[in-house]
């Protein structure tokens, strides 16, 4: 019963001394349960520790991603903005610097990751949001794109579908052919693996796209 109430955690590090130290810090914590990577379920939290998020760290994340781990916490000595983006692409949802990390913080980050939440140091979060904002303004918007991966034209069509318009009515309103409207809806449903136009509208509303 005790193990069932704990969060299963896999600890991986780029250095065996780092790995041993983190495992020792967590072994006495009642909130977590250390498990071997080979037998860990995908819903376990993977805790990755590295001095610097270099190629070795990125490769370690890719290995965990291939194994199906989606709840990953990264503890690193130093992190550049571009490295944070790489880490997030590799499945990381919580990040902390080694110098700031205590056993209590480790447990908080593990709990956040287990609950599907994210966590970043405030300064890293601020810089990351600034980069995302610049990407939207200078790269995506001039091309009619959004961070959500949907174009202005697709947004217009989905809004009209949500308003109850038929394919012909949408085509007439936007001065498109019916074939174009159908193609736009087909592209959206395929890209986001949606079942039909109703599912596409529900998805867009839920994600705040329309």
């Amino acid at each position: 019963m005790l193990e069932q109430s704990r969060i299963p955690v896999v600890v991986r590090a780029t250095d065996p001394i780092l790995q041993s130290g983190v495992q020792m810090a967590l072994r006495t914590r009642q909130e977590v349960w250390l498990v071997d990577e080979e037998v860990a379920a995908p819903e376990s939290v993977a805790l990755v520790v590295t001095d610097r998020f270099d190629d070795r760290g990125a490769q370690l994340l890719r290995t965990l991603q291939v194994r199906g781990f989606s709840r990953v916490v990264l503890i690193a000595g130093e992190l550049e903005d571009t490295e944070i983006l790489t880490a997030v692409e590799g499945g990381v949802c919580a990040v902390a610097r080694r110098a700031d990390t205590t056993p209590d913080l480790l447990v908080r980050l593990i709990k956040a990751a287990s609950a599907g939440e994210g966590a970043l140091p405030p300064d890293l979060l601020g810089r990351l949001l600034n980069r995302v904002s610049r990407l939207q303004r200078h790269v995506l918007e001039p091309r009619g794109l959004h961070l959500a991966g949907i174009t202005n034209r697709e947004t217009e069509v989905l809004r009209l579908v949500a308003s109850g318009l038929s394919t012909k009515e949408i085509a007439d309103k936007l001065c498109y052919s019916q074939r174009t409207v159908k193609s736009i809806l087909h592209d959206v449903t395929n890209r986001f693996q949606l079942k039909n136009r109703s599912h596409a509208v529900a998805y867009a509303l839920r994600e705040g796209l329309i």
Side-chain angles (χ1 to χ4, degrees):
M1 290 297 293
L2 180 59
E3 288 184 350
Q4 291 178 357
S5 66
R6 293 177 169 182
I7 300 171
V9 177
V10 173
V11 177
R12 290 293 308 275
T14 53
D15 182 288
I17 296 178
L18 284 177
Q19 181 157 327
S20 177
V22 172
Q23 288 174 329
M24 287 182 62
L26 292 176
R27 192 162 283 127
T28 59
R29 300 298 300 233
Q30 297 299 310
E31 305 94 333
V32 302
W33 168 35
L34 296 180
V35 295
D36 291 332
E37 183 180 341
E38 291 73 17
V39 298
E43 60 268 20
S44 302
V45 173
L47 178 59
V48 176
V49 189
T50 180
D51 279 321
R52 183 63 189 263
F53 188 66
D54 52 15
D55 291 342
R56 291 174 63 199
Q59 179 59 46
L60 184 51
L61 281 184
R62 285 192 291 270
T63 301
L64 291 169
Q65 195 173 38
V66 168
R67 288 178 175 266
F69 292 99
S70 60
R71 301 168 181 177
V72 182
V73 176
L74 173 66
I75 308 298
E78 297 179 39
L79 275 171
E80 301 291 342
D81 294 354
T82 54
E83 293 170 344
I84 298 173
L85 294 174
T86 301
V88 171
E89 289 171 353
V92 169
C93 58
V95 176
R97 294 186 181 90
R98 280 189 60 202
D100 302 329
T101 303
T102 63
D104 286 341
L105 178 58
L106 279 178
V107 171
R108 286 201 300 272
L109 294 177
I110 289 168
K111 286 181 175 180
S114 180
E117 300 171 356
L120 282 174
D123 63 312
L124 293 183
L125 178 59
R127 296 207 306 270
L128 181 59
L129 290 175
N130 284 335
R131 288 180 65 90
V132 170
S133 178
R134 291 199 301 271
L135 173 66
Q136 177 67 49
R137 290 196 311 270
H138 302 302
V139 178
L140 298 180
E141 284 182 359
R143 294 168 172 78
L145 299 172
H146 300 281
L147 283 170
I150 190 169
T151 66
N152 291 331
R153 188 169 73 161
E154 290 167 342
T155 300
E156 286 180 326
V157 169
L158 286 173
R159 281 177 179 157
L160 294 176
V161 171
S163 299
L165 273 65
S166 67
T167 299
K168 183 179 185 308
E169 290 170 331
I170 295 172
D172 291 344
K173 189 173 184 65
L174 298 178
C175 298
Y176 296 157
S177 69
Q178 292 188 53
R179 181 176 180 180
T180 297
V181 173
K182 291 178 180 177
S183 176
I184 291 171
L185 290 171
H186 180 266
D187 288 346
V188 172
T189 54
N190 273 3
R191 187 182 318 135
F192 297 105
Q193 299 181 338
L194 306 170
K195 298 175 182 176
N196 48 47
R197 64 166 59 192
S198 297
H199 192 191
V201 169
Y203 172 83
L205 287 169
R206 185 173 64 250
E207 297 296 324
L209 304 179
I210 61 175

